[in-house]
Amino acid sequence: MMKLSNITKVYGKGSLEVPVLHGIDLTIEDGEFVAIMGPSGSGKSTLMNIIGFLDYPSSGTYELNGEQIASAKESILAKLRNEHVGFVFQQFFMFPRDNAIKNVASPLVYAGVSKRERTSRAKDLLVKVGLGDRMKHLPNQLSGGQKQRVAIARALVNNPTILLADEPTGALDSNTSGQIMKLFTQLNEEGKTVIIVTHEEEIAAYAKRIITIKDGRITDDRRVTS
Amino acid sequence: MNIWESFKIALSSIWNHKIRSILTMLGIIIGVAAVIIIVAIGQGTKKQMTNELFSTDKNAIQIYYEYIPPEGETEMFWQEPELTSEDIQTLAEVPGVKAVVATNQGWGMMTHDDEQGEMQITGVGAEFFPARDIKVVEGRALYAADNDGLNRVVLIDTIAREKFFKETETPIGEIINLNDNPYKVVGVYESPLPEQFRNTETGEMLMPRSVISMMFGNREIEQLSVIASDPENISETGRLAADTLTTEKGLEDGKYSTNDFEDYERELNTMISLLTLLIGSIAGISLLVGGIGVMNIMLVSVTERTREIGLRKAIGATRRKILLQFLIESITLTSLGGLIGIGLAAVGSILVSKFSPITATVSPLIVLIGVSFSALIGIIFGMLPANKASKLSPIEALRYE
Ligand SMILES: Nc1ncnc2c1ncn2[C@@H]1O[C@H](COP(=O)(O)OP(=O)(O)O)[C@@H](O)[C@H]1O
Ligand SMILES: [Mg+2]
């Protein structure tokens, strides 16, 4: 469970200060499928980065499974990123010289997993995301949708409890987007907490809870009952 | 992530930028190669010169008389003091002296049957044989009594034996003529000349030095050397012996000295050290410039790979691991440069050894020092870029265009 209380974020210093988040209160339970919506520049990514331990809030508290981590050391955050969350980005972010297997296995390198184990886990996940026949391909030999599948497999490889996706379909056509969202739905059904940032209604519609942000404040938080 | 994996990543990154890497390594390559080859040549030169100095006799040192004209006077006619068997006895008792070798020289035309030839004759005492390791192959060596009794006996070397006697004949007891005076052959000794010179020589002979003095009019002791029991201390032993002799003879207008190899060696060392220092500084500057080049290229690499660093952090790399990765990369870069430099130096040493009289030797120690030193440069100049990489904020890095 994640509990964010009165989280603020201010970029820059002095006269260049840009306040982005203004007192966010948000609790997300394990196993939820959340979409964070809002117009461009509203602070979605900023919030997502704080949730995913990529950035520190300027103030406020963040409780993860009962522990305070808002001001934890960088090395502790690195460990949390490695073990607790998996990231999927709009721009995919691959290691361009590494094939699909190595890209998927990369987080395990920092987890100290043996090469043999890394390769076998990466292969299993590539099969799971439907890329069993593209395992040795380099990123530039894969389509956008395939790259995003590799990214999802990479996010899953260390068996995290939370999947964070920042506009994961932003660079994909609607057909491919649908497939990616079905994959997230499936992963949520298997028990992962899934948090997706998007500004598209159709994408948010896959989630079970939709949070709307405007100008750094939560303006709406509703659960979808199907 | 272990070191080996960081190393492999580093190697592939160097490989992916071949030309850039080679250019970056150039300073290190030149620096290391210069240092090693200069040290190799220096050591080779020193070894060769020391060999030349000491090759004739590893533990014998010659003592000679030096005339010192009194203050204000120019060098006048002077005479070397006569040395006696008591003097030799005194020298033999100097600590560290194993043996004293006193000799004089003569030349003579030797005839036997129909053969004749110019012979070099060395006048020696009984002590000469053990001291110089003379192997008597037929007959006997000289006794002290031969000198004392002015016995007209000689030993010929194996070269002369071959020239003047048939193999079946025994020369022992034979009378030979030397400048028309008869002498008795009492022994044959193994020629100390190296094999390749033996057939061009007419041979040599040994006889009591008192007999040379009497028959040729020479002084009884013309050359004097001491043999040290410990070759390491040859210079000190020689100096001590010379000083003892000077005191013993109560000399005022002269003294006994030795060829001080130590001085010579010291001079040689100073020269080589100076040269090494000079080239060393040039190499040092080259390494410094090389190091700065490495730092520069590593900074470029950090900037180019900002997104990669962000991604690595996003998937769980700690600062320490990023720091280590870049440090290992710069160490790999400089060590590789060092290794190439050593390779060049080795080739250079082989060429120098082949086309000059100096044998340049690349010692394992200097190789070790070369590699560690270039690795050290990698650490020193890689620290700043690696630190910069490790401190990047993950989101800033991922946003970097
Ligand atoms: N590192 C930064 N420095 C300064 N301003 C930033 C930085 N990152 C984001 N911003 C600003 O914060 C606001 C919110 O950005 P972001 O969280 O990326 O919004 P969204 O993801 O909703 O489009 C924007 O106005 C953006 O310009
Ligand atoms: Mg965004």
Side-chain angles (χ1 to χ4, degrees):
Chain A
M1 189 192 76
M2 288 165 280
K3 187 165 186 285
L4 287 79
S5 312
N6 204 18
I7 292 286
T8 68
K9 180 71 183 179
V10 180
Y11 286 114
K13 283 202 173 80
S15 60
L16 295 172
E17 272 187 10
V18 183
V20 174
L21 297 178
H22 310 272
I24 299 280
D25 291 304
L26 177 63
T27 303
I28 297 172
E29 303 287 345
D30 291 350
E32 280 199 86
F33 189 170
V34 180
I36 299 174
M37 287 201 69
S40 182
S42 55
K44 305 182 297 290
S45 296
T46 304
L47 178 60
M48 178 70 111
N49 292 336
I50 291 170
I51 292 175
F53 324 111
L54 274 172
D55 203 0
Y56 288 95
S58 301
S59 71
T61 60
Y62 183 176
E63 209 180 290
L64 176 72
N65 300 328
E67 277 185 67
Q68 278 301 333
I69 52 153
S71 54
K73 278 197 303 188
E74 158 73 23
S75 60
I76 290 174
L77 294 190
K79 196 167 153 65
L80 285 174
R81 291 197 288 269
N82 188 247
E83 293 172 354
H84 270 272
V85 297
F87 286 101
V88 177
F89 301 95
Q90 179 179 356
Q91 308 93 318
F92 320 126
F93 290 144
M94 307 265 110
F95 295 111
R97 293 180 195 276
D98 292 344
N99 65 20
I101 295 174
K102 283 182 119 181
N103 264 289
V104 172
S106 54
L108 296 176
V109 169
Y110 296 105
V113 175
S114 77
K115 180 158 190 193
R116 171 183 281 244
E117 169 82 18
R118 290 195 315 243
T119 307
S120 106
R121 275 209 241 168
K123 282 182 175 169
D124 288 350
L125 282 166
L126 280 167
V127 170
K128 186 184 169 95
V129 299
L131 289 177
D133 55 344
R134 296 281 193 282
M135 297 209 250
K136 294 266 169 72
H137 285 52
L138 292 172
N140 64 10
Q141 298 168 322
L142 296 170
S143 70
Q146 288 168 336
K147 273 190 251 197
Q148 203 58 307
R149 283 166 192 274
V150 171
I152 292 170
R154 180 177 65 197
L156 290 169
V157 77
N158 213 7
N159 204 18
T161 51
I162 309 157
L163 276 179
L164 297 171
D166 192 347
E167 315 239 16
T169 60
L172 304 176
D173 62 66
S174 61
N175 188 26
T176 318
S177 299
Q179 292 171 9
I180 293 293
M181 288 318 293
K182 284 200 190 87
L183 188 52
F184 278 116
T185 308
Q186 183 200 332
L187 291 167
N188 174 248
E189 279 160 5
E190 288 170 16
K192 303 278 181 211
T193 307
V194 177
I195 305 172
I196 287 179
V197 163
T198 181
H199 59 268
E200 294 171 70
E201 296 281 355
E202 313 89 84
I203 298 303
Y206 284 87
K208 294 184 185 137
R209 177 183 174 191
I210 299 172
I211 296 168
T212 309
I213 301 189
K214 282 206 179 82
D215 292 332
R217 287 190 182 83
I218 294 177
T219 56
D220 189 31
D221 184 351
R222 62 192 160 90
R223 281 167 209 275
V224 182
T225 41
S226 49
Chain B
M1 164 145 68
N2 60 30
I3 304 275
W4 175 240
E5 264 169 312
S6 306
F7 175 67
K8 280 200 295 193
I9 293 175
L11 273 187
S12 72
S13 143
I14 290 167
W15 185 249
N16 289 332
H17 300 102
K18 284 179 270 296
I19 295 186
R20 181 206 278 189
S21 303
I22 288 283
L23 289 176
T24 307
M25 286 187 288
L26 216 53
I28 309 281
I29 293 173
I30 293 170
V32 168
V35 171
I36 291 180
I37 200 152
I38 290 309
V39 171
I41 290 174
Q43 281 177 346
T45 313
K46 199 175 145 195
K47 201 185 248 165
Q48 197 206 8
M49 293 183 117
T50 334
N51 274 351
E52 262 169 23
L53 277 179
F54 294 109
S55 62
T56 39
D57 248 309
K58 281 252 178 330
N59 52 350
I61 189 162
Q62 205 175 343
I63 292 176
Y64 59 89
Y65 176 75
E66 220 180 318
Y67 171 70
I68 305 166
E71 202 79 33
E73 279 179 38
T74 49
E75 201 161 319
M76 304 258 296
F77 173 79
W78 54 274
Q79 205 171 10
E80 205 175 316
E82 281 300 327
L83 290 170
T84 64
S85 41
E86 281 95 69
D87 297 330
I88 288 169
Q89 192 53 40
T90 312
L91 282 181
E93 282 160 15
V94 170
V97 172
K98 192 167 91 182
V100 182
V101 179
T103 56
N104 54 7
Q105 300 286 331
W107 281 87
M109 182 63 78
M110 168 170 165
T111 43
H112 178 70
D113 293 343
D114 297 330
E115 292 288 340
Q116 73 168 27
E118 276 258 285
M119 294 280 271
Q120 187 182 346
I121 314 150
T122 307
V124 302
E127 76 288 342
F128 185 82
F129 292 82
R132 283 293 162 93
D133 235 345
I134 300 298
K135 262 196 229 60
V136 176
V137 291
E138 287 173 64
R140 63 168 177 87
L142 291 180
Y143 301 144
D146 292 324
N147 254 308
D148 298 343
L150 294 170
N151 293 344
R152 287 167 60 161
V153 294
V154 298
L155 278 90
I156 57 171
D157 71 1
T158 39
I159 299 169
R161 189 215 191 283
E162 210 172 295
K163 185 170 163 64
F164 291 97
F165 296 94
K166 287 192 206 69
E167 212 163 326
T168 49
E169 224 179 326
T170 167
I172 311 299
E174 286 290 315
I175 303 297
I176 56 133
N177 272 303
L178 206 53
N179 297 346
D180 295 329
N181 291 309
Y183 296 84
K184 188 164 93 180
V185 177
V186 293
V188 178
Y189 67 98
E190 184 71 38
S191 169
L193 287 173
E195 200 73 54
Q196 66 263 36
F197 297 129
R198 288 192 183 180
N199 49 6
T200 62
E201 299 282 330
T202 46
E204 295 180 2
M205 59 169 68
L206 300 173
M207 70 165 69
R209 54 175 182 259
S210 58
V211 179
I212 289 203
S213 179
M214 177 179 72
M215 299 301 290
F216 295 78
N218 294 3
R219 289 160 2 91
E220 191 174 330
I221 296 172
E222 292 175 329
Q223 294 90 28
L224 185 64
S225 40
V226 296
I227 291 167
S229 23
D230 182 2
E232 290 282 308
N233 296 329
I234 177 116
S235 294
E236 291 98 277
T237 305
R239 215 174 306 120
L240 188 62
D243 292 346
T244 307
L245 194 57
T246 307
T247 319
E248 175 76 13
K249 302 297 270 183
L251 298 179
E252 275 167 15
D253 53 356
K255 64 168 187 163
Y256 286 94
S257 319
T258 57
N259 276 322
D260 209 330
F261 295 143
E262 226 173 47
D263 268 1
Y264 196 79
E265 233 188 318
R266 216 177 291 128
E267 221 167 273
L268 194 72
N269 274 340
T270 319
M271 211 175 73
I272 287 171
S273 309
L274 220 68
L275 200 76
T276 309
L277 194 75
L278 186 79
I279 306 294
S281 341
I282 294 171
I285 290 167
S286 163
L287 287 175
L288 184 75
V289 171
I292 292 168
V294 167
M295 182 155 80
N296 184 38
I297 227 65
M298 289 305 295
L299 282 170
V300 168
S301 171
V302 168
T303 307
E304 279 179 356
R305 286 154 69 188
T306 299
R307 270 192 177 205
E308 179 202 316
I309 295 163
L311 179 58
R312 289 193 185 279
K313 288 197 158 192
I315 62 174
T318 55
R319 281 185 178 173
R320 232 177 69 88
K321 283 185 170 154
I322 299 290
L323 182 97
L324 210 64
Q325 187 193 327
F326 278 89
L327 258 191
I328 287 173
E329 194 165 318
S330 78
I331 293 170
T332 307
L333 195 65
T334 55
S335 305
L336 210 63
L339 281 175
I340 295 173
I342 289 166
L344 282 184
V347 172
S349 305
I350 291 169
L351 290 181
V352 165
S353 308
K354 200 164 179 184
F355 297 111
S356 83
I358 297 159
T359 315
T361 39
V362 177
S363 71
L365 181 73
I366 200 78
V367 168
L368 195 74
I369 292 173
V371 174
S372 342
F373 199 74
S374 35
L376 189 71
I377 287 175
I379 295 175
I380 292 169
F381 291 94
M383 206 40 128
L384 185 87
N387 197 42
K388 191 184 165 201
S390 78
K391 292 240 168 89
L392 284 175
S393 126
I395 46 160
E396 301 279 325
L398 282 174
R399 286 165 66 104
Y400 183 84
E401 298 293 328

